[in-house]
C-alpha cells in the first residue's frame, strides 16, 4: 500500500510543490521533501490518510506557509556580529608568529619569487596588473599595454 501511495502522489506533489514554491520563496524540492517527511510521520503514527490527494494539497500549502513565516521572522545580520578586533594577547602573538614564519619562508624562495609573493602578501592588496605595471620599465610599457604578472615573473 505504501509504495502504491507514493507512486500515486509523486506527480501531484511535484505539481503542487512547484506551484507553491515561488510564492513561498523556496525550492520545489525543499517543499517536496518536507511533505514526504510529513507523510512518513503520518504513516508511522496513524496510517495512510483517508483522502491522500486532499491531504497532500493541504500539507504542501501548510509547508509553504511555514516557510514564508520562517523567512519573514528570520532576519540576517547587516554585518558579522563577532568583533574580531578584541582578540586577546595570545591570539595576537600567534597571528604575528604565523605572519613572520610565512614571510621567512617566502624570503628563502629562489629568483624573483620572494619579491612577487611579498607583493601578493602585501597589506596594500595589489592586483596582478598593478604588480606587473610597477616592476616593468615605464618607457617600454604604455598604460593600456601592461603585461601580465606571470610574464614578468615567469620563473616563480
Amino acid at each position: 500500500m505504501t509504495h502504491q501511495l507514493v507512486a500515486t502522489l509523486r506527480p501531484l506533489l511535484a505539481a503542487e510543490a512547484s506551484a507553491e514554491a515561488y510564492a513561498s520563496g523556496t525550492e520545489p524540492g525543499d517543499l517536496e521533501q518536507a511533505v514526504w517527511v510529513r507523510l512518513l510521520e503520518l504513516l508511522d503514527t496513524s496510517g495512510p490518510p483517508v483522502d491522500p490527494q486532499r491531504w497532500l494539497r493541504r500539507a504542501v500549502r501548510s509547508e509553504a506557509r511555514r516557510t514564508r513565516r520562517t523567512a519573514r521572522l528570520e532576519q540576517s545580520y547587516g554585518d558579522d556580529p563577532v568583533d574580531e578586533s578584541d582578540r586577546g594577547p595570545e591570539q595576537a602573538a600567534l597571528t604575528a608568529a604565523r605572519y613572520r614564519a610565512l614571510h621567512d619562508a617566502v624570503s628563502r624562495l629562489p629568483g624573483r619569487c620572494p619579491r612577487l609573493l611579498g607583493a601578493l602578501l602585501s597589506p596594500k592588496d595589489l592586483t596582478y596588473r598593478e604588480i606587473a605595471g610597477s616592476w616593468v620599465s615605464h618607457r617600454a610599457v604604455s598604460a593600456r599595454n601592461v603585461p601580465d604578472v606571470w610574464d614578468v615573473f615567469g620563473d616563480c
Side-chain angles (χ1 to χ4, degrees):
M1 174 77 179
T2 305
H3 296 291
Q4 185 181 18
L5 179 65
V6 169
T8 304
L9 293 178
R10 179 173 284 136
L12 179 60
L13 177 57
E16 290 288 329
S18 63
E20 290 288 331
Y22 181 74
S24 67
T26 189
E27 296 289 325
D30 293 342
L31 283 177
E32 286 182 41
Q33 185 177 12
V35 172
W36 285 128
V37 168
R38 273 190 174 204
L39 179 61
L40 289 173
E41 290 170 348
L42 179 70
L43 290 174
D44 190 40
T45 58
S46 62
V50 178
D51 185 0
Q53 288 82 10
R54 182 174 179 212
W55 176 89
L56 183 113
R57 287 186 187 98
R58 290 178 62 194
V60 169
R61 283 171 182 75
S62 173
E63 285 298 325
R65 277 193 310 274
R66 185 190 59 76
T67 303
R68 279 193 301 271
R69 187 174 44 249
T70 302
R72 188 174 54 242
L73 295 175
E74 289 179 350
Q75 296 177 357
S76 63
Y77 293 114
D79 56 345
D80 193 7
V82 178
D83 183 11
E84 293 192 24
S85 64
D86 263 350
R87 291 184 279 178
E90 297 89 3
Q91 186 63 36
L94 288 172
T95 301
R98 284 189 201 115
Y99 184 77
R100 280 191 304 274
L102 178 63
H103 281 278
D104 288 345
V106 166
S107 68
R108 291 190 302 269
L109 292 172
R112 295 183 285 188
C113 296
R115 189 172 173 198
L116 172 62
L117 290 176
L120 291 173
L121 294 171
S122 167
K124 294 179 186 175
D125 199 26
L126 300 171
T127 65
Y128 292 141
R129 190 172 205 72
E130 291 168 337
I131 294 168
S134 67
W135 290 341
V136 174
S137 170
H138 293 291
R139 290 172 288 184
V141 178
S142 68
R144 297 175 301 176
N145 189 9
V146 175
D148 187 62
V149 72
W150 301 115
D151 294 337
V152 176
F153 293 94
D155 60 346
C156 287

